[in-house]
Amino acid sequence: MAPQAYAKPPQAPPLFNGNAKSVVKDMEDMIAKSKGLMDQLVKDVEEQDATFEDVLLPMALQDNEDGLTQEVLVFYQAVSEDPALRDASTEAQKLIKDFSVEASMREDVFRLVKAAYEKKNKLDPESSKLLEESYKDYIRRGMALPTGPQRDRYKEIQLKLGGLETDFERNLAEEKGGIWFDPKEVEGIPPDLVSTWEKGEGENEGKVKMNFQYPNYFPTLKNAFNADTRKRAYIENTNKMLNNQHIFKEVIALRDEAARILEFPNHAAMRIENKMAKTPKTVNDFLSNLRQKLTEGGESERKVLTETKKQDLQARGRGDSFDGHYF
């Protein structure tokens, strides 16, 4: 039983009662509130007077207040059965991503953050960390670039990336692919699971459709007796999102261009600069060393699995064939 101190939750659970109209409006209202706060800070605080308490703290509290609402509004696109609500949720996500770029590249707000950062006032560790990370985020958003074509191009890239990332996620959420299998091909997969799959009609009469949702996909890889079933599931799942291929390529190119505008050699170097490893070389050296240490053990395990597979196939009177998670 939970201690008395935790018997009553500190806050109510989130509500998922939005509709296609309310989702976009709620996001617009939230954005307007955040923008209003920034406008007010710029109006009320002079650069020479800027401090963490007057600038960063109000924005952090606003972000904290908006965080749960924002997550709920963009969550609908992944779970709602209503296409109109999913579309509205996607639109809401695009709105907040565009606003995030605009907000992070406001020169007037950046000047206040920079002034507070450069004061080096003594703060508690949490506040000091937030101030430092916020300042660095503005720099990574291009605010150290001179006003002009370079900064404009960087902002254009960030806005474009936001739209592409949303489209990529939406395509994943809307994916409806699958594979039609006849009854013998799904032997070994739990019957109560197979019974929930779509039943075929016409040319697929007598077959069932395994979609690529994980509750169906992974049990197929792990349980199907037929190796060709596992092979088809693995290959077609891996290649299921060809409509995202051009988005992926464009995102890679834009991320690389943005990193080079900020004078990083590549996107990886920019992303990891603020992490514990600091450089891609550190990560690559670690992975290379780890691979060397694990290779011998991995080869030994592969031999055991190969022998297990051979014995299983012989016991069932089958020849060698493709394998995946089954063994």
Side-chain angles (χ1 to χ4, degrees), residues 151-207:
R151 187 187 288 189
D152 292 343
R153 175 55 181 162
Y154 188 84
K155 180 177 180 179
E156 180 185 355
I157 290 173
Q158 297 307 308
L159 290 170
K160 180 67 173 175
L161 283 171
L164 289 171
E165 291 164 3
T166 299
D167 291 342
F168 189 98
E169 294 168 6
R170 173 62 187 274
N171 288 341
L172 282 175
E174 294 291 319
E175 190 274 325
K176 302 296 182 185
I179 308 172
W180 290 102
F181 289 119
D182 64 40
K184 288 191 66 64
E185 291 176 310
V186 297
E187 289 179 356
I189 304 172
D192 58 338
L193 175 63
V194 175
S195 68
T196 67
W197 293 358
E198 180 181 349
K199 308 300 186 296
E201 299 177 354
E203 63 179 10
N204 292 313
E205 182 74 34
K207 297 182 178 182

Side-chain angles (χ1 to χ4, degrees), residues 1-227:
M1 185 175 180
Q4 187 61 33
Y6 302 105
K8 183 178 180 180
Q11 63 188 31
L15 298 178
F16 295 88
N17 54 4
N19 56 59
K21 290 184 179 180
S22 69
V23 163
V24 173
K25 184 180 184 305
D26 288 348
M27 185 65 81
E28 290 173 340
D29 290 345
M30 190 181 74
I31 290 172
K33 189 175 181 181
S34 294
K35 182 178 182 301
L37 173 63
M38 292 181 182
D39 292 341
Q40 194 65 44
L41 291 174
V42 171
K43 179 182 177 181
D44 293 345
V45 183
E46 298 292 337
E47 283 185 50
Q48 63 270 21
D49 301 324
T51 64
F52 172 83
E53 291 80 5
D54 293 335
V55 179
L56 269 298
L57 184 57
M59 291 195 294
L61 293 174
Q62 184 67 54
D63 287 344
N64 187 56
E65 180 182 330
D66 293 342
L68 180 58
T69 299
Q70 179 181 322
E71 291 299 321
V72 169
L73 294 177
V74 301
F75 189 56
Y76 290 113
Q77 64 182 297
V79 298
S80 176
E81 296 182 353
D82 180 1
L85 182 52
R86 293 199 302 272
D87 289 342
S89 181
T90 299
E91 176 62 23
Q93 184 175 43
K94 289 182 178 180
L95 289 173
I96 191 60
K97 286 199 172 190
D98 286 351
F99 172 71
S100 296
V101 173
E102 296 285 350
S104 66
M105 298 190 72
R106 282 188 60 160
E107 181 73 35
D108 50 2
V109 177
F110 172 63
R111 286 198 297 266
L112 294 178
V113 173
K114 182 180 180 184
Y117 175 76
E118 291 178 343
K119 278 190 172 66
K120 302 296 182 183
N121 289 342
K122 186 172 179 58
L123 300 167
D124 64 87
E126 184 179 6
S127 299
S128 180
K129 177 70 171 177
L130 177 59
L131 176 58
E132 181 180 358
E133 292 302 318
S134 297
Y135 174 74
K136 288 181 177 180
D137 281 343
Y138 276 99
I139 299 301
R140 281 192 290 269
R141 286 291 191 172
M143 296 309 294
L145 296 170
T147 303
Q150 262 197 325
R151 187 187 288 189
D152 292 343
R153 175 55 181 162
Y154 188 84
K155 180 177 180 179
E156 180 185 355
I157 290 173
Q158 297 307 308
L159 290 170
K160 180 67 173 175
L161 283 171
L164 289 171
E165 291 164 3
T166 299
D167 291 342
F168 189 98
E169 294 168 6
R170 173 62 187 274
N171 288 341
L172 282 175
E174 294 291 319
E175 190 274 325
K176 302 296 182 185
I179 308 172
W180 290 102
F181 289 119
D182 64 40
K184 288 191 66 64
E185 291 176 310
V186 297
E187 289 179 356
I189 304 172
D192 58 338
L193 175 63
V194 175
S195 68
T196 67
W197 293 358
E198 180 181 349
K199 308 300 186 296
E201 299 177 354
E203 63 179 10
N204 292 313
E205 182 74 34
K207 297 182 178 182
V208 290
K209 184 179 182 180
M210 181 213 76
N211 61 42
F212 296 122
Q213 294 177 5
Y214 285 170
N216 298 316
Y217 171 65
F218 281 118
T220 299
L221 292 186
K222 292 180 179 181
N223 297 291
F225 293 152
N226 190 320

